[in-house]
Amino acid sequence: MSVINQMLKDLDQRQSEQKGTANAAVSVTRKISARSMLLVIVAILVLNVLGIFSWQLYSENQQLKDQVLAVEAKSDANTTQPIVAHSNEKNTDEKNINPPPIIRSEPVREKALATTSIAKKEAMDKADNVAKQLSALSEKPVMLNSDSPAVSKLKAINQPESVVDLAQKKPVLDIVKLEDTDTKPSLTISRTQLTPQALAANKITEAEQAIERNDIIKAEALFEEVLLIMPEHETARKQLAALWYGKKSYQDAVNLLSQGIALAPQSEEMRLMTARIYYEQGQPRPAYNVLRPVNHSTSTELQALLANTAADLSEHGNAIVAYEKLIALEPHVGRWWLGSAVSLDSLGKFVLARDAYKQAIARNDLSNSAMQFARQRLIELGE
């Protein structure tokens, strides 16, 4: 009996051990099943979160792409030459073909570059924000399979170059084609330096306008500037001398004209102006000396002043030569005949003087006093 009792006890013991083992196995199995379910639920939640986040990023990328295309379309609309569109384009896949080169004018090109730079900066900022958000999310200990679609999407989103390339794709293409064009419109601003002649002409014009406004001081300053640029400028010298003569600065005017004569010895006009100033100041000798080097002139004014100064200096021979030139130039003028008659009469050439008096009276253009003098001399000479 004891053996049987012992066996029963052993059996009871074994059964209780088997039950405990079974219970332990069941509890372990239950614990393992609960953990697996928890991991699966967590994985599903993470995948859902990543899917929603990926969809938001995709939507933002699409919006960014639309903005870039809108900016590009606006910049293309401002170009000076229209862009030729191909009529064979039917879907968006065919837009990957490189468009023909676009030739823009320089200001439009700069505007396109600036617009592209702004779009590029906005795209880079978006990419940086995405990268920061993803880096913050990646710090969470989430167990995912590296081959899962969610991880693939995450890798694709975590590359900012994709967003940047999307923003830069077509604008960069346009910029490259602009750089490759052979003809580049440009605006060149250069400063043209005036020649001394052109600068003097401008100042002469300004001086004449100043004279019309009665701004004599301004005109004098402009003429002096012309003479500093071109000392040989005869017009500026004569006009400045005339202004000084009008101000009764006779000696200054004479000095100015004398300098001009030294530069241009054959200038008849400057010599004539100088001789007139001398003659009006009661100085026939310097006037005669100034005119004598150009006594071959065909100017009636010069020859008349030369004859008068020679007669005043009692150089009647030179006076007769000057009057003969005047008679040759203007034979119808009676005072030239009268002047020649007086000089001939002074030299004792009475026959020639008598003929000259007759010619002077015959012209009938003398003043009353000159006419009476000529008739009186004819009577005295035996006519």
Side-chain angles (χ1 to χ4, degrees):
M1 287 295 291
S2 62
V3 173
I4 293 171
N5 291 330
Q6 186 67 30
M7 290 177 63
L8 290 173
K9 289 180 181 180
D10 292 338
L11 288 172
D12 292 334
Q13 209 170 16
R14 288 178 182 176
Q15 289 177 358
S16 64
E17 289 178 357
Q18 289 178 357
K19 288 180 180 181
T21 304
N23 291 330
V26 169
S27 64
V28 170
T29 303
R30 287 178 179 176
K31 289 181 181 180
I32 292 172
S33 299
R35 186 178 298 174
S36 299
M37 288 297 292
L38 182 61
L39 289 175
V40 169
I41 292 171
V42 170
I44 291 173
L45 291 175
V46 170
L47 288 174
N48 289 332
V49 170
L50 287 176
I52 294 171
F53 187 72
S54 300
W55 175 255
Q56 290 178 352
L57 291 180
Y58 176 76
S59 299
E60 291 180 357
N61 289 337
Q62 287 297 114
Q63 292 177 0
L64 181 60
K65 181 177 179 180
D66 295 337
Q67 291 177 0
V68 172
L69 293 176
V71 170
E72 181 190 356
K74 184 177 180 180
S75 63
D76 291 341
N78 293 328
T79 56
T80 55
Q81 296 182 358
I83 302 173
V84 180
H86 296 281
S87 60
N88 295 328
E89 294 179 354
K90 296 181 179 179
N91 52 41
T92 57
D93 293 334
E94 294 179 356
K95 292 181 181 179
N96 294 328
I97 301 173
N98 293 335
I102 302 170
I103 301 176
R104 295 183 175 93
S105 62
E106 199 68 17
V108 175
R109 176 185 174 187
E110 293 177 0
K111 185 175 180 181
L113 289 174
T115 306
T116 306
S117 300
I118 295 172
K120 185 190 294 184
K121 184 177 180 182
E122 293 177 354
M124 290 299 293
D125 293 338
K126 290 278 187 180
D128 291 340
N129 292 331
V130 171
K132 290 178 181 178
Q133 294 175 2
L134 291 177
S135 62
L137 182 63
S138 63
E139 291 177 359
K140 298 180 180 179
V142 179
M143 300 297 293
L144 293 175
N145 186 4
S146 61
D147 296 330
S148 64
V151 174
S152 300
K153 288 183 179 180
L154 182 62
K155 289 182 179 179
I157 294 171
N158 199 21
Q159 294 178 357
E161 290 141 354
S162 62
V163 181
V164 175
D165 291 340
L166 180 62
Q168 295 179 348
K169 184 175 180 182
K170 192 168 183 180
V172 170
L173 180 62
D174 290 344
I175 293 170
V176 170
K177 289 187 176 298
L178 281 172
E179 294 293 339
D180 292 339
T181 54
D182 295 333
T183 58
K184 296 181 179 180
S186 60
L187 177 63
T188 303
I189 301 175
S190 60
R191 181 176 296 176
T192 303
Q193 186 175 2
L194 293 177
T195 61
Q197 292 79 5
L199 185 59
N202 291 340
K203 290 186 178 296
I204 289 292
T205 302
E206 293 178 8
E208 291 175 349
Q209 293 174 354
I211 292 174
E212 292 178 357
R213 298 192 305 268
N214 201 25
D215 191 355
I216 304 302
I217 297 176
K218 179 66 174 178
E220 289 178 357
L222 289 169
F223 286 134
E224 289 175 358
E225 290 177 6
V226 173
L227 293 178
L228 288 175
I229 299 170
M230 297 180 64
E232 70 278 8
H233 201 289
E234 186 172 335
T235 301
R237 190 175 295 275
K238 290 188 298 183
Q239 296 212 28
L240 182 58
L243 292 177
W244 287 351
Y245 177 81
K247 294 170 61 176
K248 297 183 179 180
S249 298
Y250 303 122
Q251 190 58 47
D252 292 336
V254 168
N255 293 338
L256 183 66
L257 292 169
S258 298
Q259 293 172 0
I261 292 171
L263 294 172
Q266 297 302 315
S267 176
E268 296 181 3
E269 292 185 359
M270 285 193 291
R271 287 183 177 275
L272 181 59
M273 289 180 68
T274 306
R276 281 177 176 171
I277 295 173
Y278 279 133
Y279 192 70
E280 290 177 3
Q281 296 302 309
Q283 302 179 44
R285 175 56 65 182
Y288 178 77
N289 292 337
V290 169
L291 294 176
R292 189 170 183 179
V294 289
N295 58 4
H296 58 279
S297 174
T298 58
S299 171
T300 55
E301 295 180 1
L302 191 147
Q303 291 294 342
L305 186 56
L306 182 62
N308 290 334
T309 54
D312 290 346
L313 294 171
S314 298
E315 294 187 9
H316 295 290
N318 293 326
I320 291 171
V321 172
Y323 282 125
E324 287 177 350
K325 290 181 179 179
L326 288 170
I327 291 170
L329 292 171
E330 296 178 351
H332 57 279
V333 178
R335 64 178 182 274
W336 307 146
W337 290 100
L338 181 61
S340 178
V342 171
S343 294
L344 290 169
D345 196 359
S346 299
L347 291 176
K349 299 180 179 180
F350 302 117
V351 175
L352 294 176
R354 186 176 54 193
D355 294 337
Y357 282 128
K358 290 179 180 179
Q359 292 292 337
I361 294 171
R363 298 301 180 271
N364 198 24
D365 58 353
L366 299 176
S367 63
N368 293 331
S369 58
M371 187 68 75
Q372 291 178 2
F373 174 79
R375 289 173 178 172
Q376 183 64 33
R377 287 303 300 163
L378 279 176
I379 295 170
E380 293 176 356
L381 291 174
E383 286 292 333

